[in-house]
Amino acid sequence: MVLGEELRKARLSAGLTQEELAFKADVSRNYISLLERGEKSPTVQLLLRLCNALGVKASTIIARVERQ
């Protein structure tokens, strides 16, 4: 769930809704919701797409997860 929480924080910091992030990363809004709730885990490829859409490095998100 920690990864989902960090993705949510990054999305909010970027000023995006789940729908906007979903559009930018080419996934469904429902899938973004599942990720943020920790019910799904992204593949590395999807994590990279999400981070690109959020304007943050994947290594930054991973480092935040590792600290917790």
Side-chain angles (χ1 to χ4, degrees):
M1 176 129 173
V2 176
L3 177 59
E5 291 172 6
E6 290 303 325
L7 288 171
R8 181 178 182 275
K9 288 177 191 176
R11 177 179 60 78
L12 294 174
S13 290
L16 297 174
T17 64
Q18 287 183 342
E19 190 168 334
E20 291 167 330
L21 176 57
F23 179 78
K24 288 181 170 223
D26 195 30
V27 296
S28 71
R29 190 220 43 89
N30 186 54
Y31 196 72
I32 297 295
S33 178
L34 291 171
L35 291 171
E36 290 185 358
R37 292 192 318 252
E39 294 180 23
K40 293 284 185 180
S41 294
T43 62
V44 172
Q45 183 180 15
L46 178 56
L47 180 60
L48 293 172
R49 283 197 340 246
L50 290 168
C51 288
N52 185 51
L54 292 166
V56 65
K57 291 182 179 182
S59 60
T60 301
I61 297 292
I62 297 298
R64 291 177 187 164
V65 170
E66 288 179 329
R67 280 193 290 267
Q68 295 187 25

